[in-house]
Amino acid sequence: MESQSGTFTALTSFQLIAGLALLVGGADALVRGASRLAVAVGLSPLVIGLTVVAYGTSAPEMAVSIQSSLSNSPDIAYGNVVGSNIFNVLFILGVSAVVAPLVVAEQLVRLDVPIMIGTSLVCMGMSLDGRVSPGEGIALAAGIVLYSAWLLRRSRTKPALDVDQSREDVSKSKSRRRWVANALWIAGGLAALVFGSRLFVSGSIAVARYVGLSELVIGLTLVAAGTSLPELATSVVASIKGERDIAVGNVVGSNIFNILAVLGLSAAVSQSGVVVARAAVLFDTPVMVAVAFACLPVFFTGYEIARWEGMVFVGYYGAYTAYLILHASSHPSLPWFQDALVLFALPLTVLTLGLVTLRAIRSGKRRQRL
């Protein structure tokens, strides 16, 4: 029995590590090829962050959730989407802001963040009956097509200032050899994502059964964080390099893509759609919606995510993960932990954000008078 469990653990570890490596490497290759093609078309950094980079780095979520749906593991498929969205905002944006305060584009505050909030509310509404049906999945997938078309049309009407600066690179990238190379990067990235997702899902299911945790908790934590590593690496590096539009746009665009495309297609390819666990309906999905709403006042206060706000985000992700683990293990300290969050941490955060937002509104009115 010991040797069997040891072999099982070694195989599971290999599946997780190899699958994750293929997911990250495949996403990197996909983003590299797609970004070069996008620049050749003349897209702005913000639009590239919202679409090409966001969709590319969300490809692991897409591959894992669709594979999970086809493998009859709906908890991982749904938990991956919800968990990734929570991880993207609280941890990735938080860490990126701690590295360097992030300046938020006005378009994100006025248009894209409200769209992210709207898609989160739609997701919660669809999940209330315990299932995202194939028809609802098709409707979500149609939404990502409309959103992408709207973004591309808007970028054409308001071209970026840096397009002229890249004209020399654009002309070079139009050569047949470069187009073929970029296409190969995209194809290779997609192949790595598909194969890596199969390994990672198999390993994650094995971990869930071996440790005794539910597939929902594994999907919300291990799978969600693992498939979001490309977003983490992209946003942190972009923050360090001063590409703030890509850093923030990557997160917002990924969250929109995860709900509309990843969840939508995962439900559409399955005859029964994606079944949603009661625990996800009552707790995790509302947390995702609350996190989306939290972006608006944070982004609105001076169009910047300050370091202290980033620290708050990271702290809340730690608290969320701790709650999941305590709840799954029925730990005796769970009631105390819940009381500390509900009675102290959450009201204090809401009060702080409210005061900061009010001060920002007042300072804005004073500038208008001057």
Side-chain angles (χ1 to χ4, degrees):
M1 288 296 291
E2 290 181 3
S3 61
Q4 287 179 351
S5 66
T7 303
F8 168 79
T9 304
L11 177 60
T12 302
S13 300
F14 171 77
Q15 288 176 322
L16 288 173
I17 295 172
L20 192 56
L22 285 171
L23 287 172
V24 175
D28 179 70
L30 179 62
V31 170
R32 183 176 301 184
S35 296
R36 289 173 180 174
L37 290 178
V39 171
V41 181
L43 297 178
S44 69
L46 178 58
V47 173
I48 290 176
L50 284 167
T51 55
V52 178
V53 177
Y55 299 176
T57 54
S58 289
E61 284 93 330
M62 170 77 80
V64 167
S65 287
I66 290 179
Q67 181 64 31
S68 299
S69 181
L70 293 174
S71 302
N72 197 28
S73 296
D75 281 345
I76 288 183
Y78 187 80
N80 181 34
V81 170
V82 173
S84 292
N85 279 20
I86 295 171
F87 183 86
N88 286 348
V89 172
L90 294 184
F91 191 81
I92 295 180
L93 266 188
V95 170
S96 300
V98 170
V99 171
L102 299 174
V103 177
V104 182
E106 187 175 350
Q107 175 188 327
L108 282 172
V109 178
R110 292 188 174 183
L111 299 172
D112 299 291
V113 172
I115 290 174
M116 180 179 70
I117 294 172
T119 55
S120 300
L121 289 171
V122 168
C123 176
M124 185 168 67
M126 289 182 174
S127 67
L128 288 177
D129 61 352
R131 185 174 73 106
V132 179
S133 67
E136 291 171 332
I138 293 173
L140 290 174
I144 195 62
V145 175
L146 294 175
Y147 173 71
S148 302
W150 172 75
L151 272 180
L152 293 174
R153 182 177 180 182
R154 196 171 186 280
S155 69
R156 292 300 185 184
T157 58
K158 297 180 69 175
L161 296 176
D162 60 342
V163 172
D164 291 336
Q165 299 173 0
S166 304
R167 195 162 284 174
E168 184 178 349
D169 294 333
V170 170
S171 61
K172 290 181 181 179
S173 66
K174 287 184 178 180
S175 67
R176 183 177 180 182
R177 183 176 298 179
R178 288 189 175 251
W179 278 89
V180 171
N182 292 333
L184 289 175
W185 276 110
I186 294 173
L190 287 172
L193 287 170
V194 171
F195 187 59
S197 69
R198 292 182 179 179
L199 286 176
F200 196 75
V201 169
S202 298
S204 300
I205 294 173
V207 168
R209 292 172 179 169
Y210 188 69
V211 178
L213 295 176
S214 68
E215 290 186 0
L216 177 61
V217 173
I218 293 295
L220 287 165
T221 54
L222 178 63
V223 178
T227 55
S228 292
L229 285 179
E231 285 98 323
L232 176 61
T234 300
S235 289
V236 171
V237 171
S239 177
I240 294 173
K241 292 184 176 180
E243 296 287 348
R244 312 295 170 79
D245 282 343
I246 289 181
V248 182
N250 174 36
V251 168
V252 175
S254 291
N255 281 18
I256 296 171
F257 183 85
N258 283 345
I259 293 174
L260 296 181
V262 177
L263 181 59
L265 291 177
S266 298
V269 299
S270 175
Q271 292 183 349
S272 58
V274 173
V275 178
V276 183
R278 189 66 177 166
V281 174
L282 295 177
F283 179 71
D284 302 289
T285 307
V287 169
M288 179 188 70
V289 173
V291 166
F293 269 104
C295 285
L296 206 52
V298 170
F299 287 10
F300 179 71
T301 54
Y303 296 108
E304 181 184 71
I305 309 176
R307 277 195 172 92
W308 73 268
E309 292 170 327
M311 292 177 184
V312 170
F313 274 13
V314 174
Y316 268 121
Y317 184 75
Y320 170 73
T321 305
Y323 173 82
L324 289 179
I325 296 173
L326 291 174
H327 185 270
S329 60
S330 300
H331 198 275
S333 63
L334 179 61
W336 172 86
F337 189 79
Q338 286 177 316
D339 291 341
L341 279 179
V342 174
L343 300 177
F344 178 72
L346 289 177
L348 182 61
T349 303
V350 171
L351 178 62
T352 303
L353 289 176
L355 292 175
V356 171
T357 303
L358 183 61
R359 187 172 62 182
I361 294 174
R362 288 180 176 176
S363 63
K365 289 181 178 179
R366 289 175 185 171
R367 289 172 192 163
Q368 290 178 355
R369 290 173 184 174
L370 294 175

